[in-house]
Amino acid sequence: MTTTMPAGEQHATRGRALQGERTRAAILRVAVDLASIEGLEGLTIGRLSTELAMSKSGLFAHFGSKEELQLATIEAARAIFIEEVVQPALEASERGLPRIWELCERWTEYAQRGVFKGGCFFAAASSEFDGRPGPVRDRIAGIMLEWLAALERGVREAQDSGHLDPKADAKQVAFEFNALVMAGNWAFQLYGDLKAFTRAREAIRDRLRSIATTGAPPMAALGISRRKSSSEKIARASAGE
Amino acid sequence: MTTTMPAGEQHATRGRALQGERTRAAILRVAVDLASIEGLEGLTIGRLSTELAMSKSGLFAHFGSKEELQLATIEAARAIFIEEVVQPALEASERGLPRIWELCERWTEYAQRGVFKGGCFFAAASSEFDGRPGPVRDRIAGIMLEWLAALERGVREAQDSGHLDPKADAKQVAFEFNALVMAGNWAFQLYGDLKAFTRAREAIRDRLRSIATTGAPPMAALGISRRKSSSEKIARASAGE
DNA sequence: GTCTTTGTAGCACGAACGTTCGTATTGCAC
DNA sequence: GTGCAATACGAACGTTCGTGCTACAAAGAC
């Protein structure tokens, strides 16, 4: 019980000075999943150390306080979110209508694929901490603002590219798209209903159509191309679960 | 400290047998507010008893377990929700487009007015418990389903009344409306931004317009009549806070 | 070879958690 | 007036929480 992971074994060849970083990363990888299920407050040090088969104090030493652990977990989740949603969306699409669509599409995939075990980390965290002032809440709010700004920018760029009606309120559209994808995640988590994502996509497509110009790329092409390249990822994720 | 509420005083004329019910109701009134802020798990018996200036054991005896307290709190919140949103909406509007609009409008008001101190009780609870199987989660999911069904029914009735396009997917529209009002609540809780409710209303109005028939009552009239009768309630609520 | 730094474990703390138990007080029935 | 059921309290249970402090093993510097 004292040592399930013998100390001398796993860093025989690697330099000792790097072990800390690696352990920290390993902790945070588990922490983000745990927090997405149990919440950032339900993410306890005892539970986390049990999950990782290490001592409470050993784990604790990496962060110094629970709040620091929470903040580190948030940063780790943000990195994963960017890597899984924002970056691929930007790389896979050109500016304009394709990009704003791609952002929403990648988001629903990210939620559907279960990148975090308990659904979108930030949807959960922002609901949990909205009433608790402090640095944790501030950071979460800041990151959600980044996401909303990314959506808004996507809309604005599509307007500049002549794909969307320039008279449309970009902030308003971003609000609506975020509402729809978050609701997809919400319904999926609560009811396990995959159709929720289809509903979100459908609503977003309709809304885009309602403000698309005649010069915009045809709507139908967007969804179809995306579906194909994503099917393998979904299969991979559901196999791992 | 032991008794801020002297036991012999308030039931001098009332029957003693009713005291239990009254205390229970008083507990639950505080519990729903506390749970809307701290979450249903963060709603601790110790904290609740402190808030009510009564003993932990005395409070505990009313429920028998924490889970029973949570379930009772949920029922209390449901009663308030129906009383504050569903019933007034049904009474103040006739079947059809006015009613579905009224349901959404009453919901945003309910969130904006702060009927629960931490925002919509069920938005918070459903996000918190979506990953924790058990009777608490099941009840929350059931109540949210009631609400979604009420929205869907509102849309369907508006179709039957010839106000909305009968080809529209009522479930889809209900999903979208719920997404928008919940996002309004979310943004308001996280950023304190009252404009979020305006955005939600705006999006719902637009969506209704997009599927409204020529025989539907004029859209503009709906919003205006509502605003007037609600202003007093908002004033009353903000004074109490 | 020692010395220092780094990472982990062991142990203990005070507080809060949900829960149980015994007991005191009260109102009502008899 | 006596007995009963309802209601609430205070104390304590065992557990877990976050957080310290000390010790020790391993790697790199000299």
Side-chain angles (χ1 to χ4, degrees):
Chain A
M1 204 262 229
T2 45
T3 51
T4 43
M5 186 208 302
E9 193 171 50
Q10 58 184 345
H11 49 75
T13 55
R14 310 277 294 108
R16 175 109 180 116
L18 298 173
Q19 183 61 22
E21 272 308 315
R22 294 206 295 144
T23 307
R24 203 185 132 101
I27 292 169
L28 291 176
R29 214 169 322 128
V30 177
V32 289
D33 273 338
L34 229 169
S36 76
I37 299 173
E38 310 279 357
L40 264 174
E41 205 61 44
L43 171 71
T44 67
I45 295 170
R47 169 80 188 277
L48 193 51
S49 66
T50 305
E51 207 97 7
L52 285 150
M54 68 183 293
S55 72
K56 252 173 64 169
S57 55
L59 190 153
F60 184 82
H62 283 275
F63 304 98
S65 76
K66 169 147 193 187
E67 191 172 271
E68 284 303 319
L69 168 63
Q70 291 174 325
L71 290 169
T73 304
I74 291 170
E75 295 310 319
R78 177 174 176 272
I80 293 174
F81 179 80
I82 291 175
E83 184 190 327
E84 295 278 339
V85 178
V86 181
Q87 249 177 26
L90 296 188
E91 286 169 9
S93 62
E94 58 267 33
R95 278 170 58 121
L97 192 139
R99 176 160 296 172
I100 178 65
W101 168 255
E102 191 77 12
L103 275 170
C104 296
E105 181 65 17
R106 293 277 178 176
W107 199 100
T108 58
E109 271 175 34
Y110 140 86
Q112 182 169 344
R113 189 150 39 99
V115 169
F116 300 111
K117 278 201 183 133
C120 176
F121 178 94
F122 296 101
S126 58
S127 285
E128 183 184 4
F129 270 80
D130 59 12
R132 308 184 195 179
V136 174
R137 177 214 151 108
D138 293 346
R139 188 65 186 118
I140 294 166
I143 292 174
M144 288 303 316
L145 216 52
E146 287 178 15
W147 165 245
L148 286 170
L151 283 177
E152 184 187 338
R153 185 177 170 190
V155 173
R156 229 183 279 277
E157 285 180 355
Q159 292 176 308
D160 294 344
S161 305
H163 297 166
L164 295 180
D165 181 0
K167 289 200 299 293
D169 182 347
K171 252 199 175 67
Q172 169 80 23
V173 176
F175 171 86
E176 294 177 22
F177 286 2
N178 180 60
L180 290 163
V181 296
M182 297 256 289
N185 177 71
W186 173 86
F188 178 59
Q189 289 300 318
L190 199 55
Y191 301 112
D193 182 13
L194 277 170
K195 236 180 293 181
F197 292 120
T198 310
R199 295 208 185 282
R201 268 191 282 260
E202 204 64 40
I204 290 168
R205 219 194 305 256
D206 275 8
R207 186 71 168 102
L208 282 174
R209 239 191 295 266
S210 80
I211 54 173
T213 62
T214 51
M219 223 56 157
L222 296 176
I224 292 167
S225 72
R226 204 52 246 91
R227 292 274 169 72
K228 270 209 186 97
S229 70
S230 71
S231 56
E232 50 187 298
K233 282 196 174 179
I234 295 172
R236 178 172 64 81
S238 58
E241 175 53 22
Chain B
M1 198 254 242
T2 44
T3 51
T4 45
M5 186 210 299
E9 191 173 50
Q10 59 185 339
H11 50 74
T13 54
R14 313 278 292 108
R16 173 103 179 118
L18 297 174
Q19 181 60 23
E21 273 306 315
R22 294 208 292 143
T23 306
R24 203 185 132 100
I27 292 170
L28 291 176
R29 215 171 321 130
V30 177
V32 289
D33 273 339
L34 229 170
S36 76
I37 299 173
E38 310 280 355
L40 264 173
E41 205 61 45
L43 171 73
T44 68
I45 296 169
R47 169 82 187 275
L48 192 52
S49 66
T50 306
E51 207 98 3
L52 284 150
M54 68 183 295
S55 69
K56 254 171 59 167
S57 55
L59 190 154
F60 184 84
H62 282 276
F63 304 97
S65 75
K66 170 147 191 187
E67 191 171 273
E68 284 304 319
L69 167 63
Q70 291 173 324
L71 289 169
T73 304
I74 291 170
E75 294 311 319
R78 176 174 178 273
I80 293 174
F81 179 80
I82 291 175
E83 184 190 328
E84 295 278 341
V85 178
V86 181
Q87 248 175 27
L90 296 187
E91 286 167 9
S93 62
E94 59 269 31
R95 278 171 59 121
L97 191 139
R99 176 159 295 173
I100 179 63
W101 169 256
E102 191 77 12
L103 275 170
C104 296
E105 182 65 15
R106 294 275 179 177
W107 199 99
T108 58
E109 271 175 35
Y110 140 86
Q112 181 169 345
R113 189 150 39 100
V115 169
F116 300 110
K117 276 199 184 134
C120 176
F121 179 94
F122 295 101
S126 57
S127 285
E128 183 184 4
F129 270 81
D130 58 12
R132 310 184 193 180
V136 174
R137 178 213 151 108
D138 293 347
R139 188 64 185 121
I140 294 167
I143 292 174
M144 287 303 316
L145 215 52
E146 287 178 15
W147 165 246
L148 286 170
L151 283 177
E152 184 186 338
R153 184 178 171 188
V155 173
R156 231 182 278 276
E157 285 179 356
Q159 292 176 309
D160 294 344
S161 305
H163 295 166
L164 294 180
D165 181 0
K167 287 198 302 292
D169 181 348
K171 253 201 175 67
Q172 169 79 22
V173 175
F175 170 86
E176 294 177 23
F177 286 3
N178 180 60
L180 289 163
V181 297
M182 295 257 290
N185 177 71
W186 174 84
F188 178 59
Q189 290 301 318
L190 199 55
Y191 301 111
D193 181 14
L194 277 170
K195 236 180 294 180
F197 292 120
T198 311
R199 295 207 185 283
R201 269 191 282 259
E202 204 63 41
I204 290 168
R205 218 194 306 255
D206 274 9
R207 186 69 169 105
L208 283 173
R209 235 191 299 265
S210 79
I211 54 172
T213 63
T214 51
M219 222 57 157
L222 296 175
I224 292 166
S225 72
R226 203 61 239 70
R227 293 272 169 71
K228 267 206 187 98
S229 70
S230 70
S231 58
E232 54 192 291
K233 281 196 174 178
I234 294 172
R236 177 172 64 81
S238 59
E241 173 53 23

